[in-house]
Amino acid sequence: MDIQNLQAFLLVAEEASFSLAAERLHLSQPAVSKRIALLEQGLGSELFDRIGRHVGLTEAGQALLPHAKAIVQQLFTAEQAVRDLSGDVAGQLRLATSHHIGLHRLPPVLSAFSKSYPGANIDIDFMDSEQAYDLIMQGRSELAVVTLAPVADDSMITRPVWQDPLVFMVAADHPLAGRRDCRLADLARHPAILPGLNTYTGQIVKRLFAEHRLALQVTMATNYLETIRMMASVGLGWTVLPRTMLDPGLVALPVAGTAIERSLGLVYHRGRSLSRAAQAFVAVLAEFGDTASRT
C-alpha cells in the first residue's frame, strides 16, 4: 500500500468528499480518485460508497481506517526521528490551536519562542479544538494548544496550561441583569446563545443543566466566541464565556451553586517522537502557564 494513497484515503474519509480532499492535497480530483482506485485495486475491495454526491465508507473502508491512521502516524514519527539527529532547534513545527486561544493566550508565547529559536518556523492551523484533536490523531499536526477534552483519550498526552473560569453573562438591559439571586432554573426560562453543544465548552454547559434536569433554550449556537459575545451584548440572549471576555457591553451574572471552568492546554500523540522544535515550544509554553514561577 502506497503511503500517498493511504493519505488520500484518510482525507476522503474525513471530508466525505473527493473534491475537498483534492483541495487539501493540492491535487486534481481525478488524481485523488486514481489514488483511491489503486488502493482499492491492491486490496481487492471497494472502500467508499458513492451515491450521488454522498461519499461514505464501506465495511472494508471502516476496517482499513484505524490501520491507515496508525501507519501514517508511524511514518511521521520515523521522519521526525531522522530529522532530530541534526540536533538543532530548527525546521517547521506544525501547531493547531483555536481562534480564541490564538487571539488571547498564544501571542506572548509565540513571541518568546521566535526570539529564542529564530531558526524554527511555526505553521499554525486555526480550528475548533475537536478538529485539532483529530489532526493530532492522524499525525498531521505535531502539537495542539486547545480546550482540553472533558474525557481523556489514552492515545493522547495532555498537559493543562491555563484554567479558564467560565462566567454567565447578559446584556446590561437583560431581564436577569442585576439579580443577585439568579438560579439555573431562571436561565432555563430565557433564550441562550452558546458555543455549539458538540464542542468541549458546550458540553460543560450542557452537562451542568442536565445534572439539574433543566432544558436549555438555545436559539443560536456558534463555535466563535467573539461572535457569541457580540450577540449577547445586543440582548439576543444570555451566554457562558471565559471570564477574560467580559467587557463593558456585558455584565456577569452570579448563579447560585455553579462554578464552572475549562482547561486549556497542550495535546500531542503518545506514540509520536517530538521534534526538537516541538520540545522547545513545550518548554516555552510552560513558562506562561498558571503554575509558572514569576520573578
Side-chain angles (χ1 to χ4, degrees), residues 33-295:
S33 297
K34 183 176 180 180
R35 290 187 180 186
I36 299 302
L38 288 172
L39 187 58
E40 290 177 328
Q41 182 180 349
L43 292 171
S45 298
E46 290 191 0
L47 301 173
F48 294 99
D49 286 321
R50 305 161 178 85
I51 304 174
R53 294 185 177 181
H54 176 74
V55 177
L57 288 169
T58 63
E59 185 176 9
Q62 291 283 3
L64 176 62
L65 186 62
H67 300 287
K69 288 181 178 179
I71 291 169
V72 171
Q73 174 65 54
Q74 289 172 2
L75 176 64
F76 275 109
T77 300
E79 290 177 343
Q80 196 63 65
V82 175
R83 291 195 191 102
D84 283 350
L85 295 178
S86 66
D88 297 326
V89 178
Q92 188 175 69
L93 168 63
R94 188 84 181 271
L95 174 70
T97 191
S98 68
H99 291 85
H100 177 76
I101 293 175
L103 179 63
H104 295 278
R105 301 282 189 170
L106 277 187
V109 180
L110 296 174
S111 176
F113 180 81
S114 297
K115 291 176 181 177
S116 299
Y117 306 102
N121 299 313
I122 300 182
D123 182 5
I124 304 179
D125 290 318
F126 293 95
M127 63 193 65
D128 295 341
S129 296
E130 298 76 23
Q131 294 174 320
Y133 266 79
D134 288 339
L135 281 191
I136 295 294
M137 178 64 73
Q138 296 167 20
R140 290 168 44 215
S141 192
E142 192 169 5
L143 300 175
V145 182
V146 292
T147 301
L148 299 182
V151 179
D153 185 326
D154 290 340
S155 66
M156 303 285 192
I157 292 177
T158 60
R159 297 185 182 177
V161 178
W162 304 286
Q163 289 305 116
D164 202 24
L166 299 173
V167 176
F168 291 93
M169 303 180 189
V170 293
D173 59 353
H174 191 278
L176 295 176
R179 288 188 54 173
R180 297 183 179 180
D181 59 346
C182 188
R183 294 184 292 182
L184 286 179
D186 299 318
L187 288 171
R189 289 191 284 269
H190 292 269
I193 303 170
L194 296 173
L197 297 182
N198 60 326
T199 66
Y200 297 146
T201 304
Q203 289 173 25
I204 293 172
V205 181
K206 182 179 179 180
R207 184 169 60 246
L208 176 65
F209 275 73
E211 288 172 354
H212 289 78
R213 298 183 180 180
L214 294 170
L216 283 163
Q217 294 187 43
V218 181
T219 56
M220 296 184 189
T222 175
N223 296 354
Y224 295 100
L225 302 188
E226 299 292 339
T227 301
I228 293 174
R229 177 168 64 178
M230 180 274 294
M231 290 181 172
S233 66
V234 297
L236 296 180
W238 62 267
T239 190
V240 176
L241 291 173
R243 181 185 296 160
T244 54
M245 295 188 71
L246 190 63
D247 66 12
L250 292 165
V251 296
L253 188 64
V255 179
T258 64
I260 54 176
E261 63 179 5
R262 60 183 189 170
S263 293
L264 311 179
L266 179 73
V267 181
Y268 59 94
H269 199 283
R270 186 174 298 278
R272 181 162 191 159
S273 175
L274 294 183
S275 65
R276 293 186 183 274
Q279 293 176 39
F281 182 86
V282 170
V284 172
L285 180 65
E287 296 176 2
F288 289 83
D290 289 339
T291 59
S293 60
R294 300 294 182 183
T295 59

